[in-house]
Coordinates of all heavy atoms in Angstrom, one line a residue:
L360 N -59.4 137.4 60.2 CA -58.5 136.3 59.9 C -58.8 135.1 60.8 O -58.7 133.9 60.4 CB -57.0 136.7 60.1 CG -56.5 137.7 59.1 CD1 -55.1 138.2 59.5 CD2 -56.5 137.2 57.7
M361 N -59.2 135.4 62.1 CA -59.5 134.3 63.0 C -60.8 133.6 62.5 O -60.9 132.4 62.6 CB -59.7 134.8 64.4 CG -58.5 135.3 65.1 SD -58.8 136.1 66.6 CE -59.7 134.8 67.6
K362 N -61.7 134.3 62.0 CA -63.0 133.8 61.5 C -62.9 132.9 60.3 O -63.4 131.8 60.2 CB -64.0 134.9 61.3 CG -65.4 134.5 60.8 CD -66.3 135.6 60.7 CE -67.7 135.2 60.2 NZ -68.6 136.3 60.0
F363 N -62.1 133.4 59.3 CA -62.1 132.8 58.0 C -60.9 131.8 57.8 O -60.9 131.0 57.0 CB -62.1 133.8 56.9 CG -63.4 134.6 56.8 CD1 -63.4 135.9 57.2 CD2 -64.5 134.0 56.3 CE1 -64.6 136.6 57.2 CE2 -65.7 134.7 56.2 CZ -65.8 136.0 56.7
Y364 N -59.8 132.0 58.6 CA -58.6 131.2 58.4 C -58.1 130.5 59.6 O -57.0 130.0 59.6 CB -57.5 132.1 57.8 CG -57.8 132.7 56.5 CD1 -58.2 134.0 56.4 CD2 -57.6 132.0 55.3 CE1 -58.5 134.6 55.2 CE2 -57.9 132.5 54.1 CZ -58.4 133.9 54.0 OH -58.7 134.4 52.8
E365 N -58.9 130.6 60.7 CA -58.6 129.9 61.9 C -57.3 130.2 62.5 O -56.5 129.4 63.0 CB -58.7 128.3 61.7 CG -60.1 127.9 61.3 CD -60.2 126.4 61.2 OE1 -59.2 125.7 61.3 OE2 -61.3 125.9 60.9
L366 N -56.9 131.5 62.4 CA -55.6 131.9 63.0 C -55.9 132.3 64.5 O -57.0 132.6 64.9 CB -55.1 133.2 62.3 CG -54.6 132.9 60.9 CD1 -54.2 134.2 60.2 CD2 -53.4 132.0 60.9
P367 N -54.8 132.2 65.3 CA -55.0 132.6 66.7 C -55.1 134.1 66.8 O -54.9 134.9 65.9 CB -53.7 132.1 67.3 CG -52.7 132.0 66.2 CD -53.5 131.7 65.0
R368 N -55.5 134.5 68.0 CA -55.6 135.9 68.3 C -54.3 136.7 68.3 O -53.3 136.1 68.7 CB -56.3 136.1 69.7 CG -56.6 137.6 70.0 CD -57.3 137.7 71.3 NE -58.6 137.1 71.3 CZ -59.7 137.7 70.8 NH1 -59.6 138.9 70.3 NH2 -60.9 137.0 70.8
L369 N -54.3 137.9 67.8 CA -53.1 138.7 67.7 C -52.6 139.0 69.1 O -53.4 139.7 69.9 CB -53.4 140.0 66.9 CG -52.3 141.0 66.8 CD1 -51.2 140.4 65.9 CD2 -52.8 142.3 66.2
P370 N -51.4 138.6 69.5 CA -50.9 138.9 70.8 C -50.7 140.5 70.9 O -50.3 141.1 70.0 CB -49.6 138.2 70.9 CG -49.6 137.2 69.8 CD -50.5 137.7 68.7
A371 N -51.0 141.0 72.1 CA -50.9 142.4 72.4 C -49.5 142.9 72.2 O -49.3 144.1 72.0 CB -51.4 142.7 73.8
L372 N -48.5 142.0 72.3 CA -47.1 142.4 72.2 C -46.8 143.1 70.8 O -45.9 144.0 70.7 CB -46.2 141.2 72.4 CG -44.7 141.4 72.2 CD1 -44.1 142.4 73.2 CD2 -43.9 140.1 72.2
Y373 N -47.5 142.7 69.8 CA -47.2 143.2 68.4 C -47.6 144.6 68.3 O -47.1 145.3 67.4 CB -47.9 142.3 67.4 CG -47.2 141.0 67.2 CD1 -47.6 139.9 68.0 CD2 -46.3 140.8 66.2 CE1 -46.9 138.7 67.8 CE2 -45.6 139.6 66.0 CZ -46.0 138.5 66.8 OH -45.3 137.3 66.7
L374 N -48.6 145.1 69.1 CA -49.1 146.5 69.0 C -48.0 147.5 69.4 O -47.7 148.4 68.7 CB -50.4 146.6 69.7 CG -51.5 145.8 69.2 CD1 -52.8 146.0 70.1 CD2 -51.8 146.1 67.8
P375 N -47.4 147.4 70.6 CA -46.4 148.3 71.0 C -45.1 148.2 70.1 O -44.5 149.2 69.8 CB -46.0 148.0 72.4 CG -46.5 146.6 72.6 CD -47.7 146.5 71.7
L376 N -44.8 147.0 69.6 CA -43.7 146.9 68.6 C -44.0 147.6 67.3 O -43.1 148.3 66.8 CB -43.4 145.4 68.4 CG -42.8 144.6 69.5 CD1 -42.7 143.1 69.1 CD2 -41.5 145.1 69.9

Side-chain angles (χ1 to χ4, degrees):
L360 294 175
M361 290 172 61
K362 179 179 179 181
F363 294 106
Y364 297 100
E365 298 183 357
L366 289 175
R368 183 177 297 277
L369 177 69
L372 174 65
Y373 285 87
L374 298 179
L376 289 177

